[in-house]
Amino acid sequence: MWDQFTTSPQNETVKKIYDAYRNATIVRNAQNGDQMTTVGKTALASGTGPDVIYYQVGLGNAGVLAEAGLIRPLDDVAAKYGWLDRLTPFAVREASLDGKLYGLPNESENTVLFYNKTLIDKAGLTVPETFDDLLTFAAAATKKGYTPIAYGQADVYPCWWAFSMMANNVNGAQAMGELIFDNKGSWNTPEMVEAIKLFFVDLVKAGGFIKDLNSLGGPDAQSLFLAGKALMNLNGTWAVGTIEKDMPGQEIGIMAMPSIGGGARVYPAGSGSAYHISAKSPHAEEAAAFLDFLYQPAQLRPWVEEAKIFPPVPFDASGWNLSPLLKLAMEAAQTGGGDAKTNIGYAVNHGLASPGFLKAMTSGFQAVVAGDKTPEKQAEELQKAWEAGLTS
């Protein structure tokens, strides 16, 4: 068993979960993500690799292993153990390739807006429910000396989170899933133009961020929030542990992007990685039984309570030792605060899009913020980059 849980407390928790399995001997090798990417394919191809490998999902990740015939489809396993009845729909899509399930997904992560309710109350403001409210909130917060939203896009990835939030809210989770996975629809539509304009033009003009957000990186934006200089932070549920540690005594909330035009509020979600079974494993049946064990009720509690990881399956956390912020993150991961099919969407990131599309997002949204490109032109170029990625 090769996995990527190398840091505390995840390393210790995962070891405890594996050790609780009594039907086979689990020999574990923990490596970080870069190491796994470097040696995983080579080891599987040589036949010296593990029976089970924990690997990033997506065409450019596990898709490479599947195309080379190094991991096996798990549709038979999923049918045997009823995985499709339990797994969240977005997670099934992310772990599937060409209509076949290749992995048991894990680590449900959502792009969210964290908000400091303590400071918002102190400033005499109200947490916004609609996007119009957010524009008003931004202007009022700026007048009171706060950065409304800690967000910067000097790094390549934060604008992926922002665009994912807007595109899912405007188009809906179902339409985004069909566009990303089935190529049904287009990135060059009036709805996509609106999503781009609202965030990268209108919210910028309303004073939603620091003046030069193209010069601010994601970690520095988070630092503004941690220091109490910003009322909100566009980030992900992976930041819960850091926020809890660095902001004691403050009431921190989690919410999706405010509603646009009365539509659903959608959390873009992604799976960190998934468990895959080697196509050359002589222990495939035993490996499948072990994977099913990992998500049984007794194991779910340490996954969530100790490792602070949310497997993409429903569970009842009543009586568990969870902080208020972790409970909010868990709710976002399980249901999105409503119906998972409606309120949990898809994060447009390196697991689902081509390198060319990712580059078109980063440079394009930076150009829109700088006033060098219109939302219409950006939508047009995103569609061209998407089509190019399909043929590369």
Side-chain angles (χ1 to χ4, degrees):
M1 170 68 234
W2 287 9
D3 66 46
Q4 302 172 34
F5 302 105
T6 59
T7 59
S8 184
Q10 293 179 354
N11 180 42
E12 295 82 2
T13 302
V14 170
K15 181 180 184 302
K16 181 173 73 173
I17 292 172
Y18 292 178
D19 288 347
Y21 191 63
R22 303 302 180 192
N23 296 331
T25 299
I26 308 301
V27 180
R28 179 186 178 218
N29 183 337
Q31 307 176 36
N32 66 40
D34 289 340
Q35 290 174 324
M36 192 72 75
T37 301
T38 301
V39 304
K41 181 179 179 181
T42 302
L44 290 173
S46 70
T48 61
D51 298 293
V52 179
I53 187 168
Y54 190 70
Y55 209 81
Q56 285 186 306
V57 297
L59 286 173
N61 299 306
V64 175
L65 304 183
E67 186 176 357
L70 300 179
I71 53 177
R72 69 183 293 273
L74 300 180
D75 298 283
D76 57 335
V77 174
K80 178 179 179 179
Y81 292 106
W83 287 353
L84 298 186
D85 295 329
R86 290 187 288 159
L87 290 168
T88 304
F90 91 85
V92 173
R93 273 194 181 268
E94 289 207 332
S96 298
L97 299 158
D98 295 326
K100 297 179 180 180
L101 182 69
Y102 273 89
L104 178 63
N106 196 20
E107 296 182 86
S108 296
E109 297 176 333
N110 299 76
T111 302
V112 304
L113 279 171
F114 290 101
Y115 62 90
N116 189 328
K117 183 68 163 50
T118 301
L119 286 185
I120 289 174
D121 288 347
K122 181 179 178 181
L125 301 175
T126 303
V127 178
E129 295 292 329
T130 69
F131 199 83
D132 286 341
D133 292 341
L134 182 61
L135 295 175
T136 302
F137 174 90
T142 300
K143 289 182 179 179
K144 292 180 179 290
Y146 292 102
T147 296
I149 304 173
Y151 166 79
Q153 50 185 41
D155 303 317
V156 298
Y157 53 86
C159 64
W160 307 349
W161 307 341
F163 178 58
S164 296
M165 297 184 88
M166 300 302 296
N168 276 274
N169 267 23
V170 172
N171 293 278
Q174 180 177 343
M176 286 299 293
E178 291 175 350
L179 174 57
I180 293 170
F181 293 98
D182 305 324
N183 198 31
K184 294 181 179 178
S186 173
W187 299 93
N188 187 16
T189 65
E191 291 77 15
M192 287 296 185
V193 171
E194 180 188 15
I196 296 168
K197 179 178 180 295
L198 286 174
F199 188 91
F200 298 99
V201 178
D202 293 354
L203 192 52
V204 171
K205 289 182 178 179
F209 318 104
I210 69 165
K211 288 186 177 181
D212 187 10
L213 69 159
N214 281 341
S215 67
L216 184 69
D220 291 330
Q222 178 175 283
S223 295
L224 283 177
F225 183 70
L226 297 176
K229 297 179 180 179
L231 300 183
M232 294 183 176
N233 180 210
L234 198 159
N235 209 321
T237 49
W238 52 84
V240 165
T242 299
I243 291 173
E244 287 185 325
K245 177 174 67 73
D246 291 357
M247 304 183 76
Q250 300 190 60
E251 183 181 355
I252 308 299
I254 287 176
M255 69 179 192
M257 182 63 65
S259 174
I260 298 169
R265 301 179 65 173
V266 184
Y267 288 101
S271 300
S273 293
Y275 288 100
H276 303 85
I277 297 179
S278 168
K280 297 184 178 182
S281 171
H283 306 293
E285 290 187 13
E286 294 93 333
F290 168 61
L291 295 189
D292 186 66
F293 165 82
L294 296 180
Y295 289 176
Q296 293 302 313
Q299 276 51 254
L300 289 174
R301 183 167 184 171
W303 273 121
V304 177
E305 193 175 73
E306 300 173 27
K308 294 180 172 55
I309 289 174
F310 305 114
V313 294
F315 50 85
D316 181 6
S318 302
W320 293 8
N321 183 26
L322 304 177
S323 67
L325 189 59
L326 194 60
K327 287 181 180 178
L328 291 175
M330 181 182 68
E331 180 182 313
Q334 283 192 291
T335 67
D339 181 350
K341 293 181 179 179
T342 302
N343 298 100
I344 298 180
Y346 301 90
V348 188
N349 56 30
H350 55 77
L352 305 180
S354 69
F357 188 85
L358 299 177
K359 184 177 180 180
M361 281 200 294
T362 299
S363 61
F365 293 130
Q366 289 173 343
V368 172
V369 165
D372 297 330
K373 184 179 293 185
T374 66
E376 290 80 5
K377 184 64 175 176
Q378 173 66 351
E380 177 185 333
E381 293 185 357
L382 287 178
Q383 179 60 25
K384 290 180 180 178
W386 184 259
E387 292 173 357
L390 296 175
T391 58
S392 62

